[in-house]
Each structure stands twice: as structure tokens, then as C-alpha cells.
Amino acid sequence: MEQYEPERLSPVQLAAMRRSLRNGRAALTRRSLLRASAGGALAVGGLGALSGCGIPAAGRTQGGTSAQDHSATEKTLNFSNWTEYIDLDDSGKHHPTLETFRKRTGISVKYTEDINDNNEFFAKIKPQLAAGQPTGRDLIVLTDWLAARVIRLGWVQKLDPSNLPHAYTNLSPQFRNPDWDPGRAYSYAWQGIPTVIAFNKKALDGIEVKSVSDLLDNPKLKGRVSFLSEMRDTMGMTLLDMGKDPAKFTDDDYDAAIARLQKAVDKGQIRRFTGNDYTSDLTKGDIAACVAWAGDVVQLKNDSPDVDFVIPDSGYMTSTDNLLVPNKARHKTNAERLIDFYYEPEQAAELAAYINYATPVEGVKPYLAKIDEDAANNPLIVPDKDMQARSHAFRSLSQKEETAYEEKFAKLTGA
């Protein structure tokens, strides 16, 4: 039985978390580049809970700890998600796909947008999970690295495949076997978050950008290039450019990638490391090319004809936000039915049309084309086979590795 690992974060990890809250992936736009999901900063209590000593676990059983499932008699479920991460009607009051689910199954969904940041939300639910108590939630959405942690701790339940026929059949191969949940026994992807190279055609003025090497080495781009302040995205893209697999790299590989980026910093090639605040600089042309999040690029392309993107031949990084059923959930079967519902291509298309992230569901394209043909033909939203084959994920890190890697990255970025 795996022992509970205390969630004591090092100073450098806390600093990385604060950067993420201000303008990193925690502040990713879900529908508008003007909205930051973190709402400014993490509550002091949340930081305190994460930096203090860990709470002893109630003990682990394989597949988490179930409670009596009341799904058969209670036609409801509690679903916690990130803000602006689901379809919304014109009134701004109703979620059409959830309404469809209710009409079809009779199950009402209490939908709560109470996830602004992974660490903040984890601090909120950790005391109950560690004590073996219900969180009051039947379904939650966590980014892959935190999903890996709660699975490792035994704090989420193993899913019942018999309730997930569409999910099992329609899950894209790109998202089927993460190293932290092979075969998706405990989780299913909600959406993918690709990291690509974006550029402003007018600012480039004929300069060709096809790779991370172009960003780092072309003297004509000196001072007009930016990389992301999220370690996994910048380091993953750099490792790929160096011919290394982000799912299998060594300490020496990581150090070599740091050294390569440091050289570009020292010679003034890299303008700065940014969160999603690169968007305004890219649109204006102050940044000619950058490592960027696809969700931002989709929105920027809609607003500016000068902005476009490229997928390097070496590949690109993709992380995922994931659906999980926490321990002691009261309505596990209802939650599994909702997961399966969103893996029906027609429902996944409705979701993709609204939020514009990479769908993890196969067979979406013809349904999405009826709603938004441009979105259906956008490989950042519906990855084709070539895009899927070039996608890579950053491997799971131990606590020791994460501390060491974040420390080196913080020194590089000057954070």
C-alpha cells in the first residue's frame, strides 16, 4: 500500500504556483482573452494549507474508497468544473448539453464553477479526502499532473467500464494511455490543451518560423521572441526540438535544455517568459513569434488576420483536463453516465463549438461542421491523425524531481 505523501511544497514550487495564478495556465482563457480564471491570487488560506504539513491519509484501497451509491434513487449529481468551460446559451443562464442530459436521463446536474486553479481547489478538498470523508462532489475536473497525484494517493474511484461504452469506444488514441493512468481506469479527458508556436505574419515580414530552433537561433528575431512561464510547456517544447522525448527524458536531458534556453536569454534572443499576457504583444507585433497555448491562438486568429500558428516537425506538447469521481461520491453511477454522455460525438461537438479546446472525442468533425465549419476544420480543436501522432505529454514527476526542475526553471526565467 502506498503511503500518503505530505503536500509540503518547497519555496520554489510555491513561487511557480503564484506565477501560474497570476498569468499562467491557471489564467487560461476559456472563452475570452479578457478573463483570467484565477481571479488575481490564491487565497492566503489555500497557500497556507499547501505549504503546511500534510494531513494523514485515512488509508488507501485499490481504486479509491466508494460509498453507498444512491444513483438509482437520487436522480442528481454534483459537478465541479473550471469557469467558462462548458457550453452556455444566449441568456447566459443555461447549459444546453446539461439540459439535454437531464431530459434524456432524468438526472439533474448541480453544476458549480468553483475551480479557479488546481492547487487552490486541491487545498479545498484535501482535508475531506485525506480524512476519508465525502467532498460533496460526484465529478471534478483536474489538470493531468494533479489528476496523477490524487490517483496515486487513492483519493478517486476506479470507473466502471460498463457505464462508459461511448467513452471507451470514442476516446481518441492521443489521450488513451497517459503514464499516470494507463488505459484510463480512473479518469477520462475533458479537453486537451495543446502548446504550439504562434506568430504574427506582419511582424515576421517574410522570416520563416517552423521550429523552436528558429525562435532560439535566428538573429533577425532577437528580442522579439517569448516562451511560456509554465515549466512543462516551455521545457517540453525545447526537449522535443532537441530530439528528446518529454515522456522519457533524463536529468541530463533537462539540464541540456535549460542550458540551451539560458544561452538564448544571455544573448537577448528571448524577450521574456510569459503567461497568457503574450497575447496582446503578439497581436500588436511586439512579439513576432512565441510558444503559445492553442486555446489562445484560436481566439486570436478569430480577431486578427496576422496571427497564425505552426506545429514543429519535432512535435508539440499537449496536457489534459480530466474528469474524475472522488472518493465517497454519493452518485458515482450518475457521474459515469455524464462522462459517457460527453463522449457521444454530437454532445462533444456542442461543447467544442463553444469552448474551442482540443476535443478528446473521435467522430466529432461531421457534427461540429453543422455548427461551425471553421472549428471543425481547425486541427487545434479537432486534431487529425497527423496532429495526434505529433502530440507529446510531459512525464509524471516525483516530488524531488519537481522541486529540482522548478528551481532550475525559476533561475532561468528570473522568477
Side-chain angles (χ1 to χ4, degrees):
M1 179 183 296
E2 183 177 343
Q3 296 298 310
Y4 172 67
E5 57 180 42
E7 297 299 328
R8 178 183 287 119
L9 301 185
S10 67
V12 70
Q13 285 176 296
L14 287 171
M17 181 173 63
R18 291 187 179 98
R19 290 197 305 277
S20 179
L21 283 165
R22 286 195 301 270
N23 58 10
R25 183 173 288 158
L28 275 175
T29 59
R30 299 298 176 185
R31 280 297 296 170
S32 167
L33 295 176
L34 301 177
R35 189 199 64 77
S37 69
L42 181 64
V44 173
L47 283 174
L50 285 167
S51 59
C53 295
I55 301 170
R60 174 176 179 173
T61 58
Q62 186 64 33
T65 305
S66 62
Q68 182 179 356
D69 191 349
H70 295 267
S71 295
T73 57
E74 297 178 3
K75 297 299 184 181
T76 186
L77 73 94
N78 296 313
F79 182 10
S80 284
N81 201 353
W82 296 70
T83 55
E84 299 185 49
Y85 211 13
I86 199 170
D87 53 310
L88 196 65
D89 69 4
D90 291 339
S91 73
K93 298 179 180 179
H94 303 287
H95 306 292
T97 53
L98 291 182
E99 287 292 314
T100 300
F101 178 74
R102 181 188 60 79
K103 291 175 182 177
R104 182 193 299 181
T105 65
I107 299 169
S108 296
V109 180
K110 182 181 179 182
Y111 185 77
T112 308
E113 296 181 326
D114 60 345
I115 306 177
N116 291 315
D117 170 73
N118 285 287
N119 283 306
E120 180 187 53
F121 185 68
F122 183 60
K124 186 186 300 184
I125 64 175
K126 184 176 76 169
Q128 293 98 323
L129 291 171
Q133 299 171 349
T135 65
R137 298 167 176 86
D138 301 301
L139 194 61
I140 58 178
V141 179
L142 302 178
T143 304
D144 43 23
W145 61 267
L146 183 54
R149 183 187 299 176
V150 295
I151 290 172
R152 186 173 66 246
L153 293 172
W155 287 355
V156 293
Q157 298 185 55
K158 197 167 188 177
L159 302 173
D160 183 349
S162 67
N163 293 326
L164 298 159
H166 295 98
Y168 180 81
T169 300
N170 296 329
L171 176 61
S172 166
Q174 178 181 354
F175 302 103
R176 193 169 287 274
N177 284 295
D179 67 349
W180 46 271
D181 187 17
R184 292 287 184 179
Y186 298 89
S187 69
Y188 270 88
W190 176 247
Q191 297 292 296
I193 308 171
T195 300
V196 299
I197 292 177
F199 57 85
N200 184 306
K201 289 177 281 190
K202 186 175 180 180
L204 285 179
D205 192 24
I207 300 171
E208 189 173 65
V209 171
K210 290 186 175 181
S211 67
V212 170
S213 289
D214 290 333
L215 300 183
L216 294 175
D217 301 330
N218 190 332
K220 294 181 179 178
L221 296 177
K222 183 177 180 179
R224 298 194 294 144
V225 165
S226 70
F227 281 69
L228 293 169
S229 57
E230 292 283 349
M231 182 268 288
R232 287 169 174 82
D233 298 306
T234 284
M235 295 306 297
M237 292 292 282
T238 304
L239 285 163
L240 283 172
D241 190 72
M242 297 172 68
K244 303 298 180 180
D245 186 349
K248 299 178 181 178
F249 68 90
T250 65
D251 288 348
D252 288 343
D253 294 333
Y254 187 89
D255 288 345
I258 285 284
R260 187 164 185 230
L261 288 164
Q262 186 65 60
K263 181 179 178 181
V265 170
D266 292 344
K267 68 181 182 182
Q269 183 76 8
I270 298 176
R271 182 186 184 96
R272 62 193 182 104
F273 293 85
T274 76
N276 72 333
D277 52 327
Y278 66 83
T279 55
S280 60
D281 286 343
L282 182 64
T283 302
K284 291 185 294 185
D286 292 341
I287 290 175
C290 60
V291 175
W293 288 305
D296 289 340
V297 176
V298 171
Q299 296 292 330
L300 290 175
K301 278 175 61 65
N302 289 336
D303 298 333
S304 172
D306 293 327
V307 173
D308 210 337
F309 73 96
V310 65
I311 303 297
D313 289 340
S314 59
Y316 68 101
M317 299 300 296
T318 303
S319 60
T320 52
D321 287 331
N322 307 275
L323 296 155
L324 305 104
V325 177
N327 283 357
K328 296 297 183 76
R330 188 175 176 90
H331 309 105
K332 179 175 183 283
T333 299
N334 290 347
E336 290 168 338
R337 292 184 69 182
L338 185 63
I339 295 173
D340 197 60
F341 172 80
Y342 278 109
Y343 271 81
E344 296 176 13
E346 186 173 3
Q347 311 309 327
E350 291 283 348
L351 186 64
Y354 188 84
I355 63 177
N356 291 165
Y357 276 76
T359 177
V361 181
E362 291 279 276
V364 163
K365 189 170 184 176
Y367 294 97
L368 184 55
K370 296 176 182 178
I371 305 170
D372 186 336
E373 190 169 352
D374 288 341
N377 291 319
N378 189 333
L380 297 181
I381 299 174
V382 185
D384 56 24
K385 291 189 182 300
D386 178 60
M387 281 283 289
Q388 293 178 15
R390 294 157 74 183
S391 171
H392 296 265
F394 203 89
R395 70 172 173 83
S396 300
L397 301 178
S398 67
Q399 180 82 355
K400 181 179 179 181
E401 285 178 324
E402 184 158 357
T403 298
Y405 292 169
E406 286 284 11
E407 186 174 56
K408 292 173 181 178
F409 189 70
K411 183 177 180 181
L412 166 73
T413 62

